[in-house]
């Protein structure tokens, strides 16, 4: 919501931490694809966006939604 307060509304699946979701993030995501051993604190280098324990289609959908905005 860009209200100046960092919160869940401002979350981006920005794996490269450069402030945008782009091809670099997709590349990092692909390196974690199909892992089923994601646990705290890093959840497969943050690619398990929903913290389900696996990097799968729902995580990819979240990345794509942010990338295409």
């Amino acid at each position: 919501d860009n209200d100046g307060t960092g919160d869940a509304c401002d979350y981006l699946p920005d794996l490269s931490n450069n402030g945008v979701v782009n091809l670099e993030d997709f590349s990092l995501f692909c390196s974690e694809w199909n892992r089923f051993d994601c646990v705290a604190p890093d959840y497969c280098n943050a690619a398990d966006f929903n913290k389900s324990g696996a990097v799968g289609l729902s995580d990819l959908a979240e990345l794509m939604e942010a990338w295409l905005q």
Side-chain angles (χ1 to χ4, degrees), residues 15-27:
L15 297 175
S16 63
N17 294 314
N18 65 357
V20 294
V21 178
N22 56 23
L23 186 59
E24 185 177 2
D25 301 297
F26 181 67
S27 176

Side-chain angles (χ1 to χ4, degrees), residues 11-16 20-30 33 46-47 49 55-69:
Y11 169 76
L12 282 177
D14 177 18
L15 297 175
S16 63
V20 294
V21 178
N22 56 23
L23 186 59
E24 185 177 2
D25 301 297
F26 181 67
S27 176
L28 292 168
F29 179 84
C30 287
W33 177 252
F49 303 124
V55 179
L57 287 176
S58 60
D59 302 300
L60 177 61
E62 190 168 333
L63 179 69
M64 292 297 101
E65 182 178 341
W67 190 1
L68 297 174
Q69 289 184 7

Side-chain angles (χ1 to χ4, degrees), residues 21-54:
V21 178
N22 56 23
L23 186 59
E24 185 177 2
D25 301 297
F26 181 67
S27 176
L28 292 168
F29 179 84
C30 287
S31 69
E32 303 297 332
W33 177 252
N34 216 24
R35 284 188 55 187
F36 295 94
D37 59 346
C38 306
V39 296
D42 76 337
Y43 291 96
C44 291
N45 294 311
D48 181 12
F49 303 124
N50 63 6
K51 297 179 176 63
S52 67

